[in-house]
Structures are given as structure tokens and as C-alpha cells.
Amino acid sequence: MVGFLQRQWFLLSLIIVFVLGFAVPEVFRPFAEARTLRNWIVAAVLFVMALPLDTKSVRDSIRHPWPALFASSVNVGLLPLLAWLLAQTLSDDMKTGLLVTAAVPCTLASAAVWTRRAGGDDTVSILVTAITNITCFLTVPFWLYLTTGSELSADDQARLMRMPIRLGLLVVLPMALAQLLRQRPIVGIWATRRKSWLSGLAQVGLLSMVLAGATLCGLKLKTTTWAGLSDFPLMCVVALVLHLLTFFIGFRSARWLGFARPQQIAVGMAGSQKTLMVGLDIAISYFGGLAILPMVAYHFLQLTADTVIADKLRSDNK
């Protein structure tokens, strides 16, 4: 039981935090509506998650960039397009949430961890993380405007056009500062040794964002009929299909392109995983309400599905 709790504490905490936000939203309302505080949490979490990233591993991948570039194109090109096609079956809130999920960059932590667990090349996943997060201030607004722009008011569209500046400050700048600070040997050694601790700290910050999003969802549900959640199960199925389909296409395409098996695994994992941190911030700040549900569902499903996939691939490698 202790081992299970140590391995799955984040998923269990995710469920608890989500339930609390829905059950007693008024208790957490001041925190959920404190936008400046949320911004600082996002920046701090991305700084903490980027600090342990091995700059040397990223440099090594840059020397052979094609697997990472291909995986990045799958993550920010193919996946949003597939999401747009599949989302047509969903109601407005669920559709918007899934499109936000598809537009955000690759996750900073689990892509590399699950790639390594499956016996893949985790340096490729690290580089995909860097590429998609550094360019997200361009790719995210592009996809959201393309797929949701016609459904937004003029004011919302204007706010969406200002998103590149906001993402640059909240995502790119903290990551760049973390990597610059890491160049000091004492900081780099400390961050590498404390990688697990820093990862745990980042996940706590992530849980606080889930609480904010769940609270806003809970507040909206007070004025929303349960009919608005009628296609939640369908959305979960669509999200799972989207993730698995993207993984399969990325994995198989990498094989057709002649990449080695470790790189094929990295393309599949990094190409299909999305970050919860940036997605929650965008869903809460620009769309609100029930739009966070697909983001949380996709994250939960990708972690669960990729655990099974990684273990299967690892056993196949033996």
C-alpha cells in the first residue's frame, strides 16, 4: 500500500483536489479568482520544472534533431488538427476544452519519464519539450484562433491576440531563466541532485492550479444544468482516442522514416502528451467554466494509458 501511494500520489491527489473544488467551491473562491497569484504560480512551476533539465542532453539531441523536430510537428501540428476533427461531436464547453488541450505544448516532465520507462530515447523527449514550450507563444494562439476564433466575442478575440506576450512572460521567460541559472555549476549540480524533490514541488503547484480550475467549474455548475455535462463520458472517450491515435501515428511514422526504436518510442510519447500546467492557465484565463474538464481528463488518461503502453514496450524490448 505504501509503495502504491508513493507511485500514484499525484493521481490520487488530483482526484481529491478536483472533488474539493467541485464540492465546496465557495471555500476556495478567493484563491481561484486571484489571477495575479495564479500567474506567479504558473511562472514558478515552469521555472522549477525547467531547472533540472540537462542542458547537455538537449545539446546532444540538437546534433541529431530530426526525431525531435518530427515529434514536435506531431505534437503541435497533427494533434490539434485531429482534435478539431474529433471535437465536432462534442458540446461547446467540452469542444473548446479539448481544442485548448490540443493546442498547448508537450508536458515538461512525464514525456521524458515515460519515454525512459518504455526504453526510449528520453533526450529526444527533452528536446521536444524545449521546442514546443519555447514556440508555444506562437503556436497556441495560432491554433486557438483558427479552431475557436469564430466562436469568440470581439473582446475575447482581442485577448487571444495578446496571448503571445502573456505566454512569453509566463512560459518562455521562466524556462530561459532557469536554464541560464543552471549554467552556474553549483546550481546545476544542486538541481540535478534534487530533481525528484523539484518535480514533487512542481506537481504541488500544478495541483493548486487544478484546484483553481475545479473551483471555477464548481461555481459555474451552480448556474448550469447537469445537461451541460451529458457528453462528459463521450469527451473522455474522444480524448483517449485522440491520445492513442496520435501516439500510434507518431510511433509508426517514425518507424517508416527509419528512426531507431528508442527514437520511435520518444516520438510516440512526446508527440502525443500535453502539459496540464499551461493548458489549465489558458482554459481558466481565456475560457473558464467547464473548459478545464477536457484538459484534466486528457492529462489523467495520458498518464494512465502511457503507463500501460510504456510497460508493454519495455517488455517487448527484452
Side-chain angles (χ1 to χ4, degrees), residues 56-58 60-62 68 112 115 120-128 266:
K56 181 178 181 299
S57 296
V58 175
D60 291 341
S61 293
I62 290 175
T115 297
D121 186 349
D122 59 339
T123 61
V124 172
S125 294
I126 291 172
L127 188 55
V128 173

Side-chain angles (χ1 to χ4, degrees), residues 202-285:
Q203 290 179 81
V204 171
L206 182 55
L207 288 172
S208 72
M209 289 296 292
V210 174
L211 178 60
T215 298
L216 294 177
C217 266
L219 292 171
K220 183 171 182 179
L221 282 177
K222 288 188 172 183
T223 59
T224 303
T225 64
W226 284 101
L229 292 174
S230 61
D231 63 344
F232 178 76
L234 174 60
M235 180 275 296
C236 290
V237 172
V238 170
L240 182 59
V241 169
L242 174 63
H243 177 69
L244 294 177
L245 183 61
T246 306
F247 176 90
F248 178 80
I249 292 175
F251 182 72
R252 289 297 183 183
S253 298
R255 181 179 180 181
W256 295 333
L257 291 171
F259 297 151
R261 183 171 176 81
Q263 295 171 338
Q264 296 171 22
I265 294 172
V267 170
M269 289 290 181
S272 60
Q273 289 203 10
K274 292 292 183 176
T275 177
L276 182 59
M277 194 73 230
V278 179
L280 280 177
D281 176 66
I282 293 173
I284 293 171
S285 300

Side-chain angles (χ1 to χ4, degrees), residues 51-286:
L51 196 59
L53 288 179
D54 186 0
T55 308
K56 181 178 181 299
S57 296
V58 175
R59 282 199 219 103
D60 291 341
S61 293
I62 290 175
R63 294 173 185 170
H64 307 284
W66 298 116
L69 289 174
F70 179 67
S72 298
S73 68
V74 171
N75 190 280
V76 300
L78 175 65
L79 198 155
L81 181 60
L82 291 175
W84 178 75
L85 293 173
L86 294 174
Q88 304 307 313
T89 60
L90 302 175
S91 63
D92 289 343
D93 282 325
M94 298 299 162
K95 176 181 177 182
T96 299
L98 190 66
L99 294 175
V100 172
T101 302
V104 300
C106 177
T107 179
L108 285 166
S110 61
V113 172
W114 263 252
T115 297
R116 190 183 307 122
R117 178 172 180 154
D121 186 349
D122 59 339
T123 61
V124 172
S125 294
I126 291 172
L127 188 55
V128 173
T129 291
I131 293 172
T132 57
N133 279 270
I134 288 173
T135 60
C136 75
F137 73 100
L138 295 173
T139 58
V140 173
F142 168 79
W143 278 112
L144 290 182
Y145 187 79
L146 189 66
T147 57
T148 69
S150 60
E151 302 172 19
L152 299 177
S153 67
D155 289 342
D156 287 337
Q157 290 189 34
R159 292 178 65 219
L160 200 58
M161 295 303 290
R162 294 194 294 270
M163 189 186 291
I165 297 175
R166 186 168 185 274
L167 288 177
L169 293 174
L170 290 185
V171 179
V172 180
L173 183 59
M175 292 181 63
L177 289 176
Q179 283 296 297
L180 284 174
L181 190 58
R182 184 181 168 83
Q183 301 314 304
R184 295 179 63 86
I186 187 172
V187 176
I189 294 172
W190 178 86
T192 300
R193 290 177 177 175
R194 299 290 189 277
K195 186 174 183 177
S196 296
W197 182 82
L198 290 170
S199 177
L201 183 63
Q203 290 179 81
V204 171
L206 182 55
L207 288 172
S208 72
M209 289 296 292
V210 174
L211 178 60
T215 298
L216 294 177
C217 266
L219 292 171
K220 183 171 182 179
L221 282 177
K222 288 188 172 183
T223 59
T224 303
T225 64
W226 284 101
L229 292 174
S230 61
D231 63 344
F232 178 76
L234 174 60
M235 180 275 296
C236 290
V237 172
V238 170
L240 182 59
V241 169
L242 174 63
H243 177 69
L244 294 177
L245 183 61
T246 306
F247 176 90
F248 178 80
I249 292 175
F251 182 72
R252 289 297 183 183
S253 298
R255 181 179 180 181
W256 295 333
L257 291 171
F259 297 151
R261 183 171 176 81
Q263 295 171 338
Q264 296 171 22
I265 294 172
V267 170
M269 289 290 181
S272 60
Q273 289 203 10
K274 292 292 183 176
T275 177
L276 182 59
M277 194 73 230
V278 179
L280 280 177
D281 176 66
I282 293 173
I284 293 171
S285 300
Y286 292 87

